Amino acid sequence: GAEHPDRDLRWKTTMTNIASPTLDPITLEIVWNGLLSVTDECFISLMRASYSTNIKERHDHSIAIADATGRLIAQSQKSLPVHISSMKGLIDKLLEKYSDIEEGDLFLANDPHVAGGTHLPDLNFAMPVFIDGKMRKTPYIRSCHNRLIRDILQ
């Protein structure tokens, strides 16, 4: 509006430098609640779309967003701590193994020994988010006790 001609510039500056110590509390709360809403909506979407009763009815899955180094930014309120705890290991291994991660890459892992997972039927998905060609965040989905894996292996 006319009273705030530089509003868009300030918002862009704040959002590109989110770690800035000058981030005001109101903007921080808005961004924080936005990220929580994203993780909660993803949790519900996965639950509703799943064929697995473990996910659909027992809610045995988790959603989180991490930064490009694997540090947790936000997790859905219904995420299980045991799932989230292996997230850092997965992202560390991805960054260690793949130096050429590009926009659109999606990673799927289920090795419980490599990235601190819990057991073989646990599927872990990670898809980096790029902004202006640079990796910024890694949304992380932990889908646990997937019956399909057990059925395939039997």
Side-chain angles (χ1 to χ4, degrees):
E3 58 208 280
H4 297 291
D6 62 342
R7 171 194 268 164
D8 291 334
L9 178 61
R10 282 190 316 213
W11 176 253
K12 185 175 181 181
T13 302
T14 301
M15 290 309 293
T16 57
N17 191 12
I18 201 75
S20 169
T22 61
L23 186 64
D24 67 277
I26 294 171
T27 302
L28 177 62
E29 192 67 21
I30 291 169
V31 171
W32 170 246
N33 280 291
L35 291 170
L36 289 178
S37 293
V38 167
T39 58
D40 286 343
E41 288 295 323
C42 287
F43 186 95
I44 292 167
S45 294
L46 180 59
M47 179 188 71
R48 287 182 177 166
S50 179
Y51 288 104
S52 168
T53 55
N54 285 320
I55 294 172
K56 189 178 259 333
E57 295 176 13
R58 292 181 54 232
H59 305 167
D60 196 2
H61 62 290
S62 297
I63 307 288
I65 299 174
D67 68 8
T69 64
R71 293 179 300 180
L72 181 66
I73 295 174
Q75 70 185 47
S76 68
Q77 294 180 42
K78 293 185 177 186
S79 287
L80 303 173
V82 69
H83 301 165
I84 301 301
S85 65
S86 65
M87 177 188 72
K88 176 86 167 109
L90 170 64
I91 294 173
D92 285 348
K93 288 296 179 185
L94 291 176
L95 295 174
E96 177 185 310
K97 187 170 182 170
Y98 301 102
S99 60
D100 58 345
I101 297 174
E102 297 179 4
E103 204 163 348
D105 286 348
L106 172 66
F107 297 93
L108 169 63
N110 75 324
D111 188 334
H113 303 289
V114 172
T118 54
H119 60 133
L120 187 61
D122 291 354
L123 299 177
N124 299 287
F125 298 86
M127 184 173 185
V129 173
F130 287 75
I131 300 172
D132 297 328
K134 188 173 179 184
M135 187 168 60
R136 301 291 183 171
K137 297 177 193 67
T138 305
Y140 169 83
I141 299 172
R142 173 73 179 239
S143 172
C144 277
H145 301 293
N146 195 312
R147 171 81 189 221
L148 176 63
I149 298 297
R150 189 174 73 206
D151 291 348
I152 289 172
L153 294 174
Q154 290 181 346

